[in-house]
Amino acid sequence: QVQLVESGGGLVQAGDSLRLSCAASGRTFSSYAMGWFRQGTGKEREFVATISRSGGFTYYADSVKGRFTISRDNAKNTVYLQMNSLKPEDTAVYYCAAGPVVGAISSRNYDYWGQGTQVTVSS
């Protein structure tokens, strides 16, 4: 089993940057593909980015491509989401997730979830 804890959220202005971190417990972190999802108020949870077990493959939602970067450090059991050029529409609770399927964009392919971290972008 994997436990995930996100951090790094906050209140920023449009155009600013934030880096989210997701720390995982357990020795099997490197055996999981990792993903970031987000959920705005009154909206469904949506895919943001995913990274393969080794970090060699990444995939992004069109809405964040070119602005966000997902990465991982398997030695530190941590996955990151660097968010640049933030927009008000990026405001949401951001969740990290772990699962067995590389490249998955559906939340149903992820077995473990963190509690989320709030990102608020003011205009």
Side-chain angles (χ1 to χ4, degrees):
Q1 191 167 353
V2 177
Q3 292 185 326
L4 304 172
V5 179
E6 301 96 336
S7 62
L11 172 63
V12 297
Q13 293 186 332
D16 285 350
S17 298
L18 273 178
R19 188 176 81 157
L20 306 183
S21 300
C22 173
S25 65
R27 301 178 181 178
T28 59
F29 174 74
S30 60
S31 67
Y32 290 96
M34 299 297 297
W36 284 97
F37 289 76
R38 66 186 182 186
Q39 187 167 17
T41 303
K43 299 181 180 180
E44 293 187 354
R45 189 170 299 189
E46 65 173 355
F47 167 78
V48 174
T50 186
I51 189 167
S52 61
R53 299 177 188 89
S54 67
F57 173 82
T58 58
Y59 185 75
Y60 300 90
D62 287 344
S63 59
V64 306
K65 199 173 298 181
R67 300 187 298 122
F68 291 10
T69 302
I70 188 172
S71 61
R72 67 189 297 164
D73 185 337
N74 287 340
K76 295 182 177 180
N77 282 10
T78 302
V79 63
Y80 304 97
L81 185 68
Q82 177 67 43
M83 306 185 295
N84 298 329
S85 302
L86 282 161
K87 304 175 181 180
E89 50 263 44
D90 295 318
T91 295
V93 177
Y94 283 72
Y95 300 89
C96 69
V101 181
V102 175
I105 65 172
S106 170
S107 59
R108 290 174 289 186
N109 292 123
Y110 292 86
D111 299 323
Y112 303 103
W113 293 81
Q115 83 290 347
T117 186
Q118 176 71 48
V119 173
T120 303
V121 184
S122 65
S123 58

